[in-house]
Amino acid sequence: MERLRLGMVGGGQGAFIGGVHRIAARIDGQWELVAGALSSDEERAAASAAELGIAADRSYADFAEMAKAEAAREDGIDAVAIVTPNHMHAAPAVAFLRAGIHVICDKPLAATPEQAAEIARVVRETGRQFILTHNYTAYPLIRQAQAMVAAGDLGEIRVVQVEYAQDWLTEPASNKQGDWRTDPARSGAGGCVGDIGTHAFNLVSFVTGLKTTSLAADLDAFVPDRQVDDNVHVMLRFDGGAKGMLWASQVAVGNENALRLRVHGTKGGLEWAQENPNQMTFTRFGEPKQILTRGGAGANEAGLRTTRIPPGHPEGYLEGFATLYSEAAHLIRHADSGTPLPVGVHAPTIKDGLDGMRFISACIASSKADAAWTALD
Amino acid sequence: MERLRLGMVGGGQGAFIGGVHRIAARIDGQWELVAGALSSDEERAAASAAELGIAADRSYADFAEMAKAEAAREDGIDAVAIVTPNHMHAAPAVAFLRAGIHVICDKPLAATPEQAAEIARVVRETGRQFILTHNYTAYPLIRQAQAMVAAGDLGEIRVVQVEYAQDWLTEPASNKQGDWRTDPARSGAGGCVGDIGTHAFNLVSFVTGLKTTSLAADLDAFVPDRQVDDNVHVMLRFDGGAKGMLWASQVAVGNENALRLRVHGTKGGLEWAQENPNQMTFTRFGEPKQILTRGGAGANEAGLRTTRIPPGHPEGYLEGFATLYSEAAHLIRHADSGTPLPVGVHAPTIKDGLDGMRFISACIASSKADAAWTALD
Amino acid sequence: MERLRLGMVGGGQGAFIGGVHRIAARIDGQWELVAGALSSDEERAAASAAELGIAADRSYADFAEMAKAEAAREDGIDAVAIVTPNHMHAAPAVAFLRAGIHVICDKPLAATPEQAAEIARVVRETGRQFILTHNYTAYPLIRQAQAMVAAGDLGEIRVVQVEYAQDWLTEPASNKQGDWRTDPARSGAGGCVGDIGTHAFNLVSFVTGLKTTSLAADLDAFVPDRQVDDNVHVMLRFDGGAKGMLWASQVAVGNENALRLRVHGTKGGLEWAQENPNQMTFTRFGEPKQILTRGGAGANEAGLRTTRIPPGHPEGYLEGFATLYSEAAHLIRHADSGTPLPVGVHAPTIKDGLDGMRFISACIASSKADAAWTALD
Amino acid sequence: MERLRLGMVGGGQGAFIGGVHRIAARIDGQWELVAGALSSDEERAAASAAELGIAADRSYADFAEMAKAEAAREDGIDAVAIVTPNHMHAAPAVAFLRAGIHVICDKPLAATPEQAAEIARVVRETGRQFILTHNYTAYPLIRQAQAMVAAGDLGEIRVVQVEYAQDWLTEPASNKQGDWRTDPARSGAGGCVGDIGTHAFNLVSFVTGLKTTSLAADLDAFVPDRQVDDNVHVMLRFDGGAKGMLWASQVAVGNENALRLRVHGTKGGLEWAQENPNQMTFTRFGEPKQILTRGGAGANEAGLRTTRIPPGHPEGYLEGFATLYSEAAHLIRHADSGTPLPVGVHAPTIKDGLDGMRFISACIASSKADAAWTALD
């Protein structure tokens, strides 16, 4: 099958997540990167493009020009990956969607609710695919967990614990990644809550299927002079009575990227941690705890569908991310060519993006109101 | 050195924690159990006493009688262990204190604030030792952690995460232990929050030395018809600006006795989990995480003082509990005979008990007020 | 029930294992230490005895005198614990057995095969109980594992991996414990192989029930000038065709007391590690791995019988050791008073001691013969 | 930089390792798969090629034809990946080498020593690059471990423990993968020893730099009627006096792909396990154990060089494999175009392949001689 053509906005030299998207796009052989506006600095854009084997005439210094030019080409890109800082998601997203090009966008959706709403409006109007890279939902065992909850293996959910702890911002930011993530002009009003809190929130929503009705949040900026939060405590209330706690931190010394989810229901409980994503524990009440492995004994269809290699051969972060790119390929081929969708395809969409923005806003509002319960809507 | 003489109230056949106290009292050879009012049922009391090698004339059916009789004997008990359900702590505590006998009391302090206040008053008036068995503070690595925080190894504390998860009350209680713990007349108004939440709270206070100024709590009774909480979500604010989260649950399927503490400061972070209490991780910011073991490389004085056997030879719950009994022996010998106190002696006291009662009350009040911030004082 | 009276040979100030035996004897309240020849130095013996609350007239400087005197007393000891270095096991064992007193002896049985044979002969002749403290066989999950293998849960055993790694002798010995263990005059010809290799071997024999027919061993003394082995590699062949590997080391940097057992059969496999002895994994072929916990879901009778407190409340090394003392109490009460034996009582005996001596001898002989297969008989 | 052109022999529909090679070749964007003889069945070859986007005229049913045709093309392949069963490595390797095309070959090198010797001769004669995919040597922490040993961080190596346990052949083989691996005509005389034992052996050699001088092996075929070994016990002796044990098994129930390495020296020890490859423990004698993470605090140049994404974002098996493809690209660009080699480039070569064949032969010979010490040369 011919590869889909991918463009990229952002992700030039010195960036982090752009490189991740590129590897992810390559892993399953569904995509070819052929165009880019990799930097707003024209020279850096060109140098980055050359390094990546993008033809010189498809390296653009300007995303608007790129959208226009690619839309006009016979062999124009099928989708664009937007990997810029948060405040630079909306403008290119709108430009490409309006140009008829599908969008794969990094999270969170935008820096402001207004930007988010605009993207959503244009997605609705254009009917183009919009995939938000909440990549953690694509880990095979997370897919398996979601299916287990949906199948009732845990009974009725009562309690959810989610946490996402890092320590890289324990001291004032000193590199490009830290700079923009702690600058509200670029990251939006949320710091840690937007950068990783949204991942945690999205993971809970995906796995449990529960709708969060309200939350009470206590946000802090522990590092002196930091303008955005770096530690986030949230209590959650879900539709139907389940309760949750969410902790996100970028100042929790001793943690690298410790996203961890625990779900407890009337009949069972499960636990998964991102740093060793190839195993998950599951306990049926009154029985011994089981260690479920990616693709191993006890794997279900949802987990197997997103698994590439045998159990015991660890897949990691890049493979999970790659699964999103393959899901995107399915969705886009289906949209553009009517190729049938495989059973179980899933990718986070504009809805997840809007939910994430509501989560950020509600956390900030609640925290300003001394952690008052704040509805998510 | 001659053994101290111990009496016991409660802990007859079918009880759980009484047996733990007895083993704990034996481990270091500092105590001899010589008297008891082991049950309010006279026959069961006598049978239990016989089994334990207590002389028939020192098996009492009534704690009041016991206090009086033991106080009158030349060879009367030095201390009494009170291991009854919560609502039966105050009366015997008062009786023995008034009789001049030191008290070792199980937690939480009492079923009601009034009972707690009365005990406190009598402790103050009599000057007798009062030791509350928050046993988790006696694990060697917890002693070590406390000393590390106090020495500034973690810098200024920012974030504390504590949790105590069990699953044994996932379904309606069906045994003696579950019965009284879910009956507000015997346990007090708090269920899970009193039974294990207080342990978690006490552990945080001990290790960090931080004073909790206020909390916001969301309590649930998930099991139908349960009259007390079985799941507890709390956000904590500490004097000086640090923040914390506390989760206690008795319906978290997949957990046996999962008490876990994490403390993060400006310079370092540590993590300890009760189910494998012989190791703790510690990270200095920017350095590799270390695994500290009980008595192993990196052990400090506080940890070594409470260690019996070499690293790699696991000590457990009973040894930690036994340390409290040995600490009690030091304190009582000091009080009664002027024996010098070893450096580092520590046992939870009436103050910890009152703090725990305030914690329970604040949690319940906050939860009733829709998780409003509630001061602890 | 009245406590049994225990005497002790060895274990004076500065010793290690004597203290362990004393705590173990106290934990379940079945024993009272009333007599001792705690040191061959009379003054140290007396001081040690005083510390331990042994009456002055029952502190002996000489085990022979002690055996004679205690045998003559109405209230003489029921059993003696021998906790001296290996070369000093045989003489006291023989003396006490001949005096009609049961013996609890530390491992390995003796420093030489001749000493071992003499003890065995006298055990046979006197009919007294002889319990060898291979304490690791008394961990609840090891009892459970043994019962699972016996019940066929693993099918026919094919492969056994056992290892016991320490690092405390990585450099030349510099304390009392290290001194005698590396001195062939006191430890016997085996160093590491006798001190911890025998534990590993005994554990395999106990859990699997397999008889080792022959072995090939490669022993080293890595530390310059060390006179006994400090690293032991062994391949094992069992009756019936199963195979095993055994590694014991006291120079494996990074290991404290890492005894670990893995057993694999046609139908299942299990794994247990001493440093976290409250859990074991078990896998039925083709099913998810289970985590079995001491006393938790999936516990069998053998495991529950040796469990004191609920799952999640860790029991450790001292409790396992204490179980041996309680088993000894059962066996001795049965022998002396006809008290019925509980179902499942087990303690290592002279047979285990002789097997261990054969194991040591075979390892040394094989290693001298360039790891030639050497029969165990 | 332009991508290198890759061909593939084997790896058609239903194969396992071919797919791994293809993903590995894509991850870093250095390779493009453009030609293949994917199956000896012409139709299957064509269908597989079509699926993979290989042009029809570059899908060959015959590797000899492919070598000839590709060598003749201006845009012919730079290298071929040989991913056939072991007995089918030599013929294509020789054909492509002779055609001037570099070879990337799966392990073990060949089914027989004769085949291996022929490949080696042709490599020598042609001077082409020959890379053997002992992929485990490319994990970042294994690179880091190798550099740490080389730098003397562990002191002089004394003891090495390596094991590679699986359970998928616990019962008679029932799929394509199991079939050829248990058929000596296709796998060679070694079963488990060749398939995974060689990985374990290679890992030891790479990390420690030690030369194995002799070994004593005890091989078994536990499954009835199995014609090759499925469980392998080996004692190793290294040049300079260090000792090792190696266990490989495909019948160890409870293990998926449990490759694990431990190295202990006079100054330090380390431990790594493949199933969670992003962490490794390291202990300096007398200091607390450290957890080293891929790319985290304590990472060295060798580890960082082979790391793509930040610590806490797990890389897995496919990334390690991909690193070999990128190393191959460096070596081939250097050979063909004089591109400078980056510092630290490493890939297993024909030498590793020959060492692996010697290891297999020595194990089989030793086992037949009742585990007699057998030299490796």
Side-chain angles (χ1 to χ4, degrees), chain D residues 315-354:
Chain D
E315 295 193 23
Y317 178 92
L318 292 167
E319 284 73 31
F321 219 111
T323 292
L324 277 198
Y325 267 85
S326 294
E327 300 292 57
H330 286 305
L331 293 164
I332 288 170
R333 289 188 206 278
H334 178 68
D336 289 354
S337 325
T339 315
L341 280 180
V343 174
V345 166
H346 171 83
T349 64
I350 187 71
K351 184 186 172 306
D352 297 88
L354 292 170

Side-chain angles (χ1 to χ4, degrees), chain B residues 17-43:
Chain B
I17 203 68
V20 167
H21 279 252
R22 289 191 292 265
I23 296 177
R26 285 196 296 261
I27 281 180
D28 292 331
Q30 299 285 334
W31 294 92
E32 183 79 18
L33 178 66
V34 296
L38 301 173
S39 170
S40 53
D41 175 302
E42 191 160 349
E43 217 163 311

Side-chain angles (χ1 to χ4, degrees), chain C residues 189-256:
Chain C
C192 172
V193 71
D195 192 28
I196 59 175
T198 50
H199 270 309
F201 178 73
N202 183 262
L203 192 67
V204 167
S205 303
F206 175 67
V207 170
T208 67
L210 292 173
K211 180 175 155 48
T212 304
T213 52
S214 63
L215 57 78
D218 200 20
L219 274 54
D220 283 276
F222 278 112
V223 172
D225 299 326
R226 183 159 288 163
Q227 298 180 60
V228 292
D229 62 275
D230 52 24
N231 191 76
V232 175
H233 289 176
V234 190
M235 299 196 296
L236 301 166
R237 289 179 176 170
F238 301 106
D239 205 13
K243 297 290 179 77
M245 296 181 95
L246 181 153
W247 173 45
S249 184
Q250 295 177 318
V251 297
V253 179
N255 289 284
E256 291 181 337

Side-chain angles (χ1 to χ4, degrees), chain C residues 287-308:
Chain C
E287 299 187 12
K289 184 169 293 194
Q290 296 183 334
I291 300 174
L292 300 177
T293 58
R294 182 190 48 77
N300 61 18
E301 279 309 301
L304 290 169
R305 189 186 156 266
T306 48
T307 285
R308 289 163 187 82

